Amino acid sequence: MGTLSDRPTILGILSQAILLALLFGVGWGKKIPSNFVFGDSLVDVGNNNYITSLSKADYVPNGIDFGKPTGQEIGLKDFTPPYLAPTTSGPIVLQGVNYASGGGGILNHTGKIFGGRINFDAQLDNFANTRQDIISSIGESAAMELLGSALFSVTMGSNDFINNYLTPVLSTVEQKLVSPESFVGSMISKYRLQLTRLYDMGARKIVVANVGPIGCIPYQREINPSAGANCAPFPNELAQLFNAELKDLIAELSANLDGSSFVYADVYHIVDDIIRNYVSYGFENENSSCCYLTGKFGGLIPCGPPSKVCCDRSKYVFWDPYHPTDATNVIIAKRLLDGGLEDISPVNVRQLLEP
């Protein structure tokens, strides 16, 4: 593969699992449900192009597999268009909208270093506008039916660690004052309110991705040299602490919100498995950026015009200091689509979308 992503991402294809299945010839044989996407840079398809932000991907060599840099994290632009694009209006929103924003997080102060970003609360505000547009277009009854059968995916949490609690220098005081348990607790409390609000606005089939092994990304390897050739332990411990509480939250919401189907996507497990067994997956490099400029792992400076690009992107797990390659994304997407309980629970994406 080499055609699905613009700047490849850990979860860039999570919300596109249906379309991916069709591309591989294993479609449902029926109309694709509407698809509403919420998240951070891992699923941003270009919303940050329309705001003043340092978190963008609209420059080369991003887009090398897509043909040009669009600022999108994935190349399936016709399936879930960015909310802020002027063309995302009228009948097109009935097929779904992407609200994700690079730098965004669960907590509203996350990502301040990027300037402009759209955090989850604001993304939900934007969805409320879309919801009203849909009601005005097809009526309330039909709108609720459409939303009830639609796929909703939420990919949040990584930035709350990488660009908040773990931000070099800036987070030193916070880490001394706020314990990991307290910080994660504040994230879960906020997330509970946000996911409940999404349900209250009509969402029923909701896939929530956990935080991946962020200590293994090239950037964290660079700023934690004491880890040597291993993943940085503390960021991964934070992710695992959050993920354990998130899994309980998903079970709680499914039990308490009538008619809901919340699904827990264990991306941490999948990506960790790929990194540990990278050779068996056909990779040759599991710890360095394919798009690099400097650093032992190529993780010190974001991918940009001055960067060099590896000869064979399909042999690298990571594209840049933060995001995996197309090849990695395809593996993740297939496992979320058809994987067992160790990858996604209580059902996979295909099972979730069955009538």
Side-chain angles (χ1 to χ4, degrees), residues 5 8-9 283 290 313 316-319 323-330:
S5 71
T9 65
F283 295 110
C290 169
R313 299 179 294 282
Y316 276 67
V317 172
F318 290 98
W319 162 248
H323 307 95
T325 56
D326 247 6
T328 307
N329 278 335
V330 170

Side-chain angles (χ1 to χ4, degrees), residues 48 52-56 102-104 110-117 159 163 322:
N48 278 22
T52 302
S53 175
L54 295 177
S55 181
K56 295 187 179 185
T110 287
K112 281 185 177 181
I113 59 173
F114 295 117
R117 76 277 183 215
N159 272 327
N163 297 308
Y322 307 96

Side-chain angles (χ1 to χ4, degrees), residues 70-208:
T70 63
Q72 297 181 350
E73 297 295 340
I74 46 180
L76 303 170
K77 64 182 187 302
D78 294 327
F79 193 48
T80 49
Y83 173 79
L84 291 180
T87 53
T88 305
S89 61
I92 193 173
V93 303
L94 299 178
Q95 299 302 314
V97 177
N98 185 304
Y99 304 90
S101 170
I106 295 169
L107 303 174
N108 286 321
H109 59 282
T110 287
K112 281 185 177 181
I113 59 173
F114 295 117
R117 76 277 183 215
I118 310 168
N119 286 317
F120 195 20
D121 277 338
Q123 291 181 34
L124 291 172
D125 291 342
N126 290 339
F127 172 65
N129 294 333
T130 300
R131 177 181 181 273
Q132 190 54 52
D133 290 341
I134 293 174
I135 291 174
S136 298
S137 174
I138 62 176
E140 185 166 5
S141 178
M144 292 304 100
E145 183 177 348
L146 182 151
L147 296 177
S149 62
L151 174 66
F152 288 78
S153 62
V154 184
T155 305
M156 283 286 189
S158 295
N159 272 327
D160 294 284
F161 294 117
I162 297 172
N163 297 308
N164 187 336
Y165 196 71
L166 293 174
T167 305
V169 181
L170 299 178
S171 65
T172 302
V173 174
E174 182 174 19
Q175 287 187 30
K176 291 181 178 179
L177 296 176
V178 182
S179 69
E181 292 77 12
S182 294
F183 186 79
V184 166
S186 67
M187 288 175 63
I188 292 296
S189 295
K190 185 71 170 176
Y191 219 8
R192 177 182 289 105
L193 296 174
Q194 293 165 331
L195 292 173
T196 300
R197 182 185 175 197
L198 185 59
Y199 167 86
D200 288 340
M201 288 193 285
R204 292 297 179 268
K205 299 179 178 182
I206 307 170
V207 178
V208 182

Side-chain angles (χ1 to χ4, degrees), residues 178-330:
V178 182
S179 69
E181 292 77 12
S182 294
F183 186 79
V184 166
S186 67
M187 288 175 63
I188 292 296
S189 295
K190 185 71 170 176
Y191 219 8
R192 177 182 289 105
L193 296 174
Q194 293 165 331
L195 292 173
T196 300
R197 182 185 175 197
L198 185 59
Y199 167 86
D200 288 340
M201 288 193 285
R204 292 297 179 268
K205 299 179 178 182
I206 307 170
V207 178
V208 182
N210 69 5
V211 172
I214 53 178
C216 299
I217 63 176
Y219 168 71
Q220 285 295 331
R221 291 178 186 266
E222 295 282 11
I223 66 173
N224 291 280
S226 61
N230 300 315
C231 299
F234 185 51
N236 279 354
E237 290 167 7
L238 287 173
Q240 291 172 322
L241 180 63
F242 172 78
N243 292 343
E245 295 204 22
L246 176 62
K247 190 170 186 178
D248 289 343
L249 174 62
I250 296 305
E252 171 196 318
L253 294 174
S254 291
N256 295 338
L257 300 180
D258 186 48
S260 68
S261 295
F262 282 87
V263 174
Y264 177 78
D266 196 347
V267 176
Y268 188 106
H269 167 74
I270 298 172
V271 176
D272 182 63
D273 179 51
I274 293 171
I275 292 172
R276 291 177 184 273
N277 303 291
Y278 68 97
V279 175
S280 66
Y281 283 99
F283 295 110
E284 296 176 358
N285 185 295
E286 88 292 8
N287 59 18
S288 300
S289 301
C290 169
C291 182
Y292 65 97
L293 186 60
T294 186
K296 180 179 179 181
F297 302 100
L300 287 177
I301 299 177
C303 181
S307 301
K308 299 175 183 178
V309 177
C310 63
C311 294
D312 189 349
R313 299 179 294 282
S314 70
K315 298 301 182 182
Y316 276 67
V317 172
F318 290 98
W319 162 248
D320 68 4
Y322 307 96
H323 307 95
T325 56
D326 247 6
T328 307
N329 278 335
V330 170

Side-chain angles (χ1 to χ4, degrees), residues 4-51:
L4 289 179
S5 71
D6 186 351
R7 185 173 78 194
T9 65
I10 284 181
L11 282 170
I13 310 180
L14 164 63
S15 58
Q16 313 296 340
I18 308 169
L19 189 52
L20 180 65
L22 295 176
L23 291 173
F24 280 109
V26 290
W28 278 260
K30 59 177 182 289
K31 186 176 182 292
I32 298 174
S34 302
N35 185 25
F36 296 91
V37 183
F38 303 82
D40 51 30
S41 68
L42 298 174
V43 285
D44 184 357
V45 294
N47 281 306
N48 278 22
N49 291 352
Y50 301 95
I51 61 177

